[in-house]
Amino acid sequence: MTESNSTVEQADRSVSRDWLRRLGRLAAPFIGLFLVLGIFTVIEPGSFPSVRNGQTIAVQTVVVGIGALGMCFVIVCGGIDLSIGSVIALASVAGAMTLDAGYGPTAAMAMAGGTGAVCGLINGGLVTALRIPPFIVTLGMLGIARGLAKLLAGNQRIAPPPESLGWLEGFVDKTPEIAWLLVAPAAWCLLAIAILAGFVLRRTAFGVQVVAIGSSEPTARLCGVPVARTKILVYVLCGLGAGLAGAVTLGRLGVGDPTTAVGLELQIIAAVVIGGASLSGGEGGILGTMIGAFMLSCLSAGCTLAGIDNSIQEIIIGGIIVAAVTIDGLRQRRNR
């Protein structure tokens, strides 16, 4: 009887430890966000907490957020996509060329999204068919997409007629015409896409398969999970997110710029890692990813208002990535 009670107590303690670990993992992004908000509110009390700055942050979050949603699926699946910044630039150029050819903003967004999806399909196909590590494949795509963007644009910005942007310009306007929206329509669309992505990752068979592959690919194969198909779909989703982010970038800048989004892949990966995802796969969530993206936008806006140089921002983001990966590695070793 005593031995039975001891076993039950050990099981209860194990469940409690697991619950505390999950709670800590969920709370960490919120703690980081509140820390950033608190620091910059103290540094710039007159401008950082303002409505205008909040609207700016919301728009800035859209590009990183859309890219991070797709990246979350890739990282949870045990992969990585280093090409996402270059794909965003290529998609913005493709969208601008579509507008310049006389087509409307809807066609431009479709072209940008399709361009990103094709890049994702190539990435996923090479990773699965040739068994090339994702790091190498996407590093190669980083150069290919950036070079193709510069080639198509003739090494200059493509500036379609301003009137051709149509609703795409208002879509990313931080002071929307409809006052009760408060923030740009693109920010609300990001929220809707995030809710859909969260449902897919946690409540569908596809989401379960993504987590299973990231946790243990050999085990997932033995359980009948279509590993190759799932990986390809994951990279297509990431590419599609990059394409849509390229369309949003086009709406914000008004031009297709082949040099835009340089280094943006670091911010996107950082948003996912800050949100609690493990770079070894199997762990991560959409809520944490969105908190991470919003935190980085707040950090960027706060540094700009405080007059902190962009190079310092890059150092901070790099340090955050290293710290988050280190903490994840320590946690995994402790759990073994």
Side-chain angles (χ1 to χ4, degrees):
M1 187 70 175
T2 304
E3 184 177 348
S4 176
N5 289 339
S6 176
T7 303
V8 171
E9 289 176 2
Q10 289 177 358
D12 288 341
R13 282 197 296 270
S14 178
V15 170
S16 298
R17 284 195 298 269
D18 289 342
W19 184 81
L20 287 173
R21 279 197 293 267
R22 284 195 219 98
L23 182 62
R25 200 178 189 89
L26 182 63
F30 288 94
I31 294 172
L33 174 62
F34 291 140
L35 185 62
V36 170
L37 291 175
I39 290 173
F40 285 111
T41 298
V42 171
I43 295 175
E44 296 290 335
S47 54
F48 186 78
S50 66
V51 174
R52 181 73 174 177
N53 188 50
Q55 292 173 325
T56 301
I57 291 172
V59 173
Q60 289 178 343
T61 304
V62 174
V63 174
V64 175
I66 293 177
L69 288 176
M71 185 66 76
C72 181
F73 279 87
V74 170
I75 290 179
V76 171
C77 196
I80 194 75
D81 188 351
L82 300 179
S83 67
I84 191 165
S86 297
V87 174
I88 288 174
L90 177 60
S92 76
V93 168
M97 291 177 68
T98 303
L99 291 176
D100 207 32
Y103 296 94
T106 303
M109 179 167 279
M111 177 61 74
T115 299
V118 169
C119 291
L121 179 62
I122 294 171
N123 283 336
L126 291 175
V127 167
T128 55
L130 301 182
R131 308 268 180 150
I132 304 175
F135 180 90
I136 301 300
V137 171
T138 58
L139 185 62
M141 180 58 74
L142 181 152
I144 293 170
R146 182 71 64 180
L148 186 57
K150 292 178 180 179
L151 182 64
L152 291 174
N155 285 305
Q156 58 186 359
R157 295 179 175 182
I158 296 179
E163 64 275 8
S164 67
L165 288 170
W167 60 263
L168 189 58
E169 186 176 16
F171 186 64
V172 294
D173 189 356
K174 58 186 174 186
T175 52
E177 293 182 3
I178 305 175
W180 57 263
L181 283 177
L182 300 179
V183 294
W188 292 111
C189 286
L190 172 62
L191 178 61
I193 294 171
I195 292 172
L196 177 61
F199 175 81
V200 170
L201 185 59
R202 297 301 177 194
R203 293 290 183 267
T204 67
F206 173 73
V208 172
Q209 291 167 355
V210 169
V211 175
I213 293 171
S215 300
S216 175
E217 185 173 327
T219 302
R221 289 184 187 277
L222 290 174
C223 293
V225 173
V227 173
R229 185 182 69 188
T230 303
K231 280 187 173 183
I232 290 173
L233 286 175
V234 160
Y235 280 98
V236 169
L237 281 176
C238 188
L240 177 61
L244 295 178
V248 171
T249 301
L250 171 61
R252 286 184 63 192
L253 301 178
V255 297
D257 187 357
T259 63
T260 192
V262 174
L264 192 64
E265 57 274 357
L266 289 181
Q267 291 190 43
I268 291 172
I269 293 171
V272 181
V273 173
I274 290 169
S278 171
L279 286 176
S280 59
E283 296 180 1
I286 299 300
L287 175 60
T289 296
M290 287 295 96
I291 295 298
F294 186 65
M295 187 186 101
L296 289 176
S297 296
C298 291
L299 178 64
S300 177
C303 287
T304 300
L305 290 173
I308 299 174
D309 192 80
N310 285 337
S311 58
I312 303 299
Q313 297 181 40
E314 293 173 358
I315 292 172
I316 294 172
I317 292 172
I320 289 172
I321 294 176
V322 172
V325 173
T326 301
I327 293 170
D328 178 63
L330 293 172
R331 182 173 56 245
Q332 289 192 10
R333 281 198 292 270
R334 188 171 61 246
N335 294 339
R336 287 172 185 169

